Amino acid sequence: MMYPYLTLDDETEIVHSEMSENNSVKVYIEKPDENDGFHYATCYLPNYEWKDIFGFSEEEIEKYRKIIENNAHLILELSQNGGFDNASGF
């Protein structure tokens, strides 16, 4: 299951998975694109392993890398508690 984490002002969505048995968490980034449909990328925490990048420039990936690195501790915690909505009590 994937849980919403953050929507940026340019409609980029960042979601994350539950923590797997090997303690990894999939972070998926997706942004609508008029020509390609969607641009997307996947980062696996805690190793910050990037895979399956389509349509994003190196500058965009660097921006998302910083966001994920700055929020990794929260994403990892939320991945163990059913996402933000469950962890926050909403």
Side-chain angles (χ1 to χ4, degrees):
M1 176 157 200
M2 299 298 279
Y3 299 101
Y5 181 71
L6 182 64
T7 302
L8 303 177
D9 59 356
D10 65 355
E11 298 183 30
T12 300
E13 300 245 355
I14 300 175
V15 300
H16 66 85
S17 69
E18 296 176 350
M19 185 172 283
S20 70
E21 290 180 10
N22 69 358
N23 295 324
S24 69
V25 175
K26 177 181 178 178
V27 179
Y28 183 75
I29 303 164
E30 182 177 79
K31 178 181 177 181
D33 181 78
E34 190 175 293
N35 298 320
D36 298 326
F38 286 94
H39 292 175
Y40 52 84
T42 303
C43 179
Y44 289 91
L45 297 176
N47 296 333
Y48 301 96
E49 181 181 356
W50 287 86
K51 292 187 174 188
D52 199 25
I53 299 171
F54 173 76
F56 288 126
S57 68
E58 289 184 30
E59 288 176 347
E60 289 172 304
I61 291 297
E62 179 62 19
K63 177 177 83 170
Y64 302 136
R65 183 192 63 75
K66 287 178 183 178
I67 291 170
I68 290 172
E69 284 183 2
N70 289 333
N71 288 272
H73 64 288
L74 294 172
I75 294 169
L76 290 167
E77 181 179 334
L78 292 171
S79 72
Q80 298 174 66
N81 296 305
F84 178 80
D85 288 345
N86 289 323
S88 66
F90 289 112

